[in-house]
């Protein structure tokens, strides 16, 4: 029988596979003084390939551990899409409001990001793959898998992981990502469905590139 919960060791291994490398890259950027993030089509394609490889490795591990990976498919529905649009809007507004509380006028506390060398097709491809990758493993695996340790752990640990691999974006970026991540996490906890959070994440990834 397939299981839907994880031990702390299993959760740690999945985290290391899916996000360990990105956490290292993120902290390397912090150590380098938060350099400008300049994205290109080649970089986006490399990131898509890396996420597909790491995702396949994590799914293979979860299958060996008898985890129910069938439930990780974010099945699109009309109702789920409408909820996803609402989650997208709420996440965006909540992030702007929270960031406004922490932002110091005249202080540059968010890393500059350039999308000048990115085509629309690669931007959409990355948004779809990255949005699915992050929410499937953060919500579908970690939030769902850790619920046996209590709701605070199931929400808090994946949210911490999400923040750690986004520290390269600077203090304001971390606050924004944490806020949007919390809204998407709560939507998953409330509905039990991955698609609304995945759709919201895809839209949140595309919006800055426009």
């Amino acid at each position: 029988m397939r299981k839907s919960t994880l031990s702390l060791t299993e959760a740690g291994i999945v985290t290391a596979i899916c996000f360990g490398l990105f956490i290292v890259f993120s902290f390397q950027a912090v150590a380098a003084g938060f350099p400008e993030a300049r994205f290109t089509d080649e970089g986006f394609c490399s990131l898509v390939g890396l996420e597909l490889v790491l995702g396949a490795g994590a799914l293979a591990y979860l299958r060996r551990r008898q985890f129910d990976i069938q439930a990780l498919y974010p099945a699109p529905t009309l109702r789920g899409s409408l909820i996803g649009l609402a989650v997208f809007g709420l996440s965006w507004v909540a992030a702007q409001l929270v960031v406004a509380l922490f932002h110091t006028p005249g202080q540059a506390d968010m890393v500059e990001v350039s999308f000048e060398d990115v085509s629309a097709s690669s931007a959409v491809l990355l948004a779809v793959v990255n949005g699915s990758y992050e929410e499937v493993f953060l919500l579908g695996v970690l939030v769902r898998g850790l619920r046996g340790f209590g709701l605070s752990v199931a929400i808090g640990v994946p949210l911490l992981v999400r923040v750690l691999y986004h520290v390269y974006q600077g203090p304001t970026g971390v606050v924004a990502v944490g806020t949007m991540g919390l809204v998407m996490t709560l939507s998953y906890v409330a509905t039990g469905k991955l698609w609304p959070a995945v759709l919201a994440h895809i839209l949140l990834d595309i919006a800055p590139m426009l």
Side-chain angles (χ1 to χ4, degrees):
M1 182 177 179
R2 297 288 175 176
K3 64 181 183 179
S4 60
T5 58
L6 298 171
S7 69
L8 290 178
T9 299
E10 290 170 332
I13 291 174
V14 171
T15 298
I17 294 173
C18 294
F19 305 107
L21 193 58
F22 299 116
I23 292 174
V24 171
F25 290 160
S26 194
F27 276 89
Q28 284 178 338
V30 173
F34 296 102
E36 176 186 358
R38 177 173 291 276
F39 295 107
T40 64
D41 282 348
E42 292 76 11
F44 272 14
C45 289
S46 296
L47 179 55
V48 166
L50 179 59
E51 288 186 341
L52 291 177
V53 170
L54 295 177
L59 290 175
Y61 171 75
L62 289 167
R63 186 179 291 109
R64 287 180 60 86
R65 303 304 299 175
Q66 301 297 310
F67 190 80
D68 180 19
I69 61 174
Q70 293 298 113
L72 299 180
Y73 175 67
T77 64
L78 176 58
R79 182 173 182 273
S81 297
L82 293 175
I83 294 174
L85 289 173
V87 173
F88 162 68
L90 182 58
S91 299
W92 185 270
V93 171
Q96 301 308 310
L97 292 175
V98 174
V99 164
L101 296 176
F102 288 88
H103 178 66
T104 302
Q107 178 180 344
D109 49 6
M110 180 177 285
V111 173
E112 292 293 328
V113 179
S114 172
F115 297 106
E116 293 179 0
D117 301 321
V118 175
S119 65
S121 58
S122 63
V124 172
L125 174 63
L126 177 69
V128 171
V129 173
N130 185 64
S132 302
Y133 179 84
E134 290 192 28
E135 302 315 322
V136 163
F137 289 106
L138 285 174
L139 304 184
V141 176
L142 294 181
V143 170
R144 179 167 169 248
L146 292 172
R147 70 185 187 276
F149 295 95
L151 193 58
S152 59
V153 172
I155 291 176
V157 171
L159 190 60
L160 175 61
V161 173
R162 188 191 299 267
V163 166
L164 287 177
Y165 64 83
H166 282 99
V167 295
Y168 74 92
Q169 294 186 7
T172 300
V174 166
V175 170
V177 167
T179 302
M180 292 186 287
L182 179 59
V183 173
M184 289 186 286
T185 300
L186 293 178
S187 77
Y188 174 71
V189 171
T191 66
K193 304 295 183 182
L194 273 173
W195 174 242
V198 169
L199 177 59
H201 192 140
I202 290 172
L203 296 175
L204 287 167
D205 276 355
I206 291 176
M209 303 182 204
L210 299 180

